[in-house]
């Protein structure tokens, strides 16, 4: 195939992509128009303006949280340059975050990366992981990874945590007397955290899975450090 043929094919593929994007936008606009009973042009304008405004608003909130945390640490500006490969994905993801509770973790991830006194890894995997978490997921992580205690024998045996008390408190597997069932929401949350490698299923001596018990992981600990204030 000649270079002219290659160029023509590239132009044709680009045109197809543009048409596809335009058709998708038109379809979305038509859906919004039907919902609000307005002309297509008006609906498209409202939808686009709303998305732009929400992203702008979320970015301003992120910036405010970032500046407040810097000030709390006694800094007036970042003292470490963040590689664009890490900074841009964080900013993009945070711009779409509507949950105030989750937004603070995006801000903290950015501040930790910008603070040279904090030894954290700036991994893009952490960005995609945080995008995959709900506020309940993060609350479960916060409860478990902030927990330091339990009986001495529990520390030695490391039997993990019973999930029936989550997200209200962390309960080492040998330290509870009652066994309330976990809610379906918590079970799904824990399953997602296991899927992402932030928690692990507990194994019995014979290799079987211990029901309703989980343990921390190295990945989970490092990820949690990346998006929370240093202790």
């Amino acid at each position: 195939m000649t270079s002219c043929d290659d160029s023509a094919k590239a132009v044709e593929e680009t045109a197809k992509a543009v048409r596809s994007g335009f058709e998708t936008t038109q379809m979305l606009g038509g859906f919004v128009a039907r919902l609000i009973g307005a002309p297509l042009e008006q609906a498209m304008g409202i939808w686009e303006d709303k998305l732009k405004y929400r992203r702008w608003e979320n970015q301003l909130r992120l910036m405010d949280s970032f500046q407040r945390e810097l000030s709390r640490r006694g800094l007036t500006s970042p003292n470490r340059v963040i590689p664009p490969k890490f900074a841009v994905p964080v900013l993009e993801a945070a711009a779409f975050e509507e949950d105030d509770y989750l937004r603070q973790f995006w801000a903290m991830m950015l501040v930790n990366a910008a603070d040279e006194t904090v030894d954290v890894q700036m991994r893009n995997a952490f960005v995609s992981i945080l995008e995959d978490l709900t506020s309940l997921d993060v609350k479960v992580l916060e409860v478990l990874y902030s927990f330091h205690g339990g009986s001495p024998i529990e520390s030695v045996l490391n039997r993990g945590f019973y999930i029936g008390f989550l997200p209200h408190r962390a309960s080492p597997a040998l330290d509870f007397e009652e066994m309330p069932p976990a809610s379906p929401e918590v079970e799904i949350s824990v399953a997602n955290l296991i899927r992402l490698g932030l928690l692990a299923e507990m194994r019995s001596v014979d290799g079987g899975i211990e029901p309703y018990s989980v343990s921390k992981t190295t990945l989970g600990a490092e990820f949690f450090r990346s998006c929370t204030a240093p202790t």
Side-chain angles (χ1 to χ4, degrees), residues 18-56:
V18 171
R19 284 197 301 271
S20 177
F22 178 75
E23 290 168 358
T24 301
T25 302
Q26 289 289 102
M27 182 173 63
L28 178 58
F31 172 69
V32 176
R34 290 195 300 274
L35 286 178
I36 66 176
L40 176 61
E41 293 78 10
Q42 180 183 353
M44 287 299 299
I46 291 173
W47 180 251
E48 291 173 356
D49 289 345
K50 180 67 174 176
L51 285 180
K52 290 177 182 177
Y53 175 76
R54 290 302 297 171
R55 291 184 65 185
W56 173 77

Side-chain angles (χ1 to χ4, degrees), residues 179-192:
M179 296 180 61
S183 68
E185 293 79 13
V186 166
E187 287 195 35
I188 293 172
S189 176
V190 168
N192 187 44

